[in-house]
Amino acid sequence: MSAPLFLVDELPVGSAYTLDGPEGHHAATVQRLRVGEALILADGRGGSATAEVTAVGRGSVEVTVTGRAAVPASDPRLVVVQGIAKGDRGELAVQAMTEIGVDEILPWAASRSVAQWRGDRGFKARDRWATTAREAAKQARRSWLPMVAGDPDCSTKQVAARLTEAAASFVLHEEAAERLTTAALPASGEIVLVVGPEGGISDGERATFEQAGATAVRLGREVLRTSTAGVAALSVLSARLDRW
């Protein structure tokens, strides 16, 4: 089994380091690491350091750094505009997309979104998505922490503006003629995927996005849930872009 990963604000400069705070508590109390065991420290911005536990305290562990690595940012960059879903489906989507390798997620207040993120509720909901992404990144041993960006409830107009800036953008739609598996992909830049909520993407939203330069694409004959469509699309792109 690979060594567990812990996120830190800054990587240690020298060879000795104390992992404390919430991550130190998790390492010492929850995972119960022992002297001699290995772990990974990551800053969420591509940098990481392998380390060995030299002492375990109450809510902290002392480590010695044994190696360092830097993973460059992915290019093309994969961004998913995720329609806000009810219940925990949005968080399930965020978790799985993070494990697959998404670089940024934007919550989208689609016209058919049942859940509404307004005021403080919206910020709290977006924070839950960010926490979910953070934990999933640790589970997947990712050096880069994906961003959960934009307003808590990005409007269709805001999404369209983002699409105009992308190197390529795609709207997942079951009635589309073109397939994501054969769609033209850029060599660099930003690739944006739009995933609708439970009720799907309206004709007006699809038209707005296509006017902004997006291409409607399908994945297959089956109609996927909002919690799985983005994951499937990212898997296709990861294979096509040689990430996998």
Side-chain angles (χ1 to χ4, degrees), residues 62-78:
E62 304 288 335
V63 304
T64 295
V65 174
T66 57
R68 300 177 186 273
V71 177
S74 297
D75 187 28
R77 190 167 180 268
L78 299 179

Side-chain angles (χ1 to χ4, degrees), residues 29-193:
T29 307
V30 179
Q31 295 211 355
R32 298 183 179 181
L33 294 182
R34 296 292 179 259
V35 172
E37 291 190 288
L39 58 82
I40 303 169
L41 302 172
D43 60 11
R45 301 180 298 277
S48 66
T50 55
E52 183 178 304
V53 178
T54 56
V56 179
R58 181 175 295 179
S60 67
V61 294
E62 304 288 335
V63 304
T64 295
V65 174
T66 57
R68 300 177 186 273
V71 177
S74 297
D75 187 28
R77 190 167 180 268
L78 299 179
V79 179
V80 174
V81 176
Q82 175 66 51
I84 296 173
K86 64 182 180 181
D88 63 352
R89 290 180 182 174
E91 291 175 43
L92 290 172
V94 170
Q95 177 182 345
M97 290 190 297
T98 298
E99 293 174 1
I100 292 294
V102 70
D103 297 301
E104 184 177 346
I105 302 169
L106 280 78
W108 168 40
S111 62
R112 294 176 179 172
S113 288
V114 176
Q116 299 294 317
W117 290 6
R118 294 290 184 269
D120 289 342
R121 178 184 180 185
F123 287 102
K124 290 178 181 177
R126 187 181 64 179
D127 287 345
R128 285 197 299 272
W129 280 24
T131 298
T132 298
R134 179 183 177 87
E135 294 306 311
K138 291 166 59 177
Q139 176 65 35
R141 314 299 197 267
R142 289 190 56 173
S143 297
W144 283 91
L145 182 63
M147 297 173 57
V148 178
D151 292 335
D153 54 347
C154 285
S155 67
T156 297
K157 182 178 180 180
Q158 289 173 310
V159 172
R162 183 66 179 267
L163 299 182
T164 62
E165 300 173 352
S169 54
F170 303 101
V171 179
L172 301 184
H173 200 284
E174 67 270 18
E175 296 178 358
E178 188 163 353
R179 299 163 56 190
L180 183 59
T181 52
T182 56
L185 300 179
S188 64
E190 192 169 88
I191 299 175
V192 181
L193 292 166

